[in-house]
Amino acid sequence: MNPMLKWIGGATAAAVFVFGGATLASSYLSTDNKPVEKVTLEEAIPVDPAKVTGETVQGAPGQGQAAMQQANAQADDQFTVKRILPIEGPIKYGEWFWDDKDVPDGPIVMTVDLQARVISVFKGGYEIGTAAVLLGTDEYPTPLGTFPILYKMKDNVSEKYGNSPMPYSMFLTKDGVALHGADVEKGFASHGCVGLPTPFAAKIFAVAGKGDKVIITDGEMMGLGDQIL
């Protein structure tokens, strides 16, 4: 696979299987697949570059315009793809990869693609994590769009789905669509949530905060140098 081009949801497409019908987001079976670590619609919010950089532009009119252009350029750079994790072959259900060693500080943004069935986590434009995910069904689809994380719950239990544990939940919509830990296995689906291998969900939970963006697409691709946001 050309390392310069990727599904927007991850470094490689996950192996795609036909789901045998909708199942509860919490109704996952246990799996023998071990996480692999290389030893390592509601509210779509546009990005304000000035807020991303945290800079206040002051000075004379000409200086202010130049400073604003510089701030915009810096903001764009934070959301430009600078690295894609070198993963060979499709990511299997239950597998995940994480490498944030020596990655400089930067904003967190995530992409999920429905066709690839893969999530990518970027920090300042560097892909630091990726995994195969579970998604919704035709009856309970995973929504498309750009969503900020509204709030987080580490030990979430879903009363809606029989008090099923959904650890490391990061909610994207007011009606309960979230990223959360799950047993990611072939043949299972959610009620619209994005199910993540639980150890991988814990990694994201530790670095992502309220307001960080999750972009959910359907069959989009991007390459090095492309804008994520």
Side-chain angles (χ1 to χ4, degrees), residues 93-136:
Y93 285 110
E95 286 187 334
W96 57 274
F97 301 83
W98 191 272
D99 183 6
D100 58 1
K101 183 179 180 181
D102 299 326
V103 173
D105 289 338
I108 296 292
V109 62
M110 288 166 270
T111 61
V112 178
D113 190 77
L114 304 187
Q115 295 295 322
R117 299 188 181 278
V118 170
I119 186 172
S120 278
V121 184
F122 292 90
K123 180 179 181 181
Y126 295 85
E127 187 181 44
I128 61 172
T130 187
V133 298
L134 293 182
L135 300 169

Side-chain angles (χ1 to χ4, degrees), residues 45-226:
I45 298 179
V47 174
D48 182 343
K51 291 182 180 179
V52 171
T53 61
E55 297 182 3
T56 301
V57 178
Q58 298 178 342
Q63 294 174 335
Q65 184 177 6
M68 180 61 76
Q69 291 174 345
Q70 181 180 5
N72 289 340
Q74 291 174 346
D76 288 344
D77 184 65
Q78 292 290 294
F79 296 105
T80 299
V81 179
K82 302 180 183 70
R83 183 186 77 174
I84 297 168
L85 291 174
I87 300 168
E88 296 183 3
I91 302 174
K92 298 177 182 179
Y93 285 110
E95 286 187 334
W96 57 274
F97 301 83
W98 191 272
D99 183 6
D100 58 1
K101 183 179 180 181
D102 299 326
V103 173
D105 289 338
I108 296 292
V109 62
M110 288 166 270
T111 61
V112 178
D113 190 77
L114 304 187
Q115 295 295 322
R117 299 188 181 278
V118 170
I119 186 172
S120 278
V121 184
F122 292 90
K123 180 179 181 181
Y126 295 85
E127 187 181 44
I128 61 172
T130 187
V133 298
L134 293 182
L135 300 169
T137 63
D138 290 341
E139 185 177 1
Y140 300 102
T142 299
L144 298 174
T146 299
F147 305 90
I149 295 175
L150 301 178
Y151 61 98
K152 299 163 55 178
M153 294 181 65
K154 181 179 178 182
D155 300 310
N156 180 40
V157 175
S158 174
E159 296 180 358
K160 185 176 181 180
Y161 297 121
N163 294 322
S164 299
M166 296 183 181
Y168 304 106
S169 288
M170 292 159 277
F171 288 89
L172 308 181
T173 69
K174 292 179 180 178
D175 60 356
V177 174
L179 308 177
H180 64 75
D183 291 330
V184 178
E185 287 196 1
K186 167 186 173 182
F188 287 82
S190 76
H191 270 79
C193 289
V194 179
L196 313 168
T198 299
F200 183 77
K203 291 275 192 181
I204 297 178
F205 195 91
V207 300
K210 181 178 178 180
D212 287 338
K213 306 299 189 302
V214 179
I215 305 166
I216 303 178
T217 60
D218 188 12
E220 294 190 24
M221 300 180 74
M222 65 182 176
L224 293 174
D226 287 347

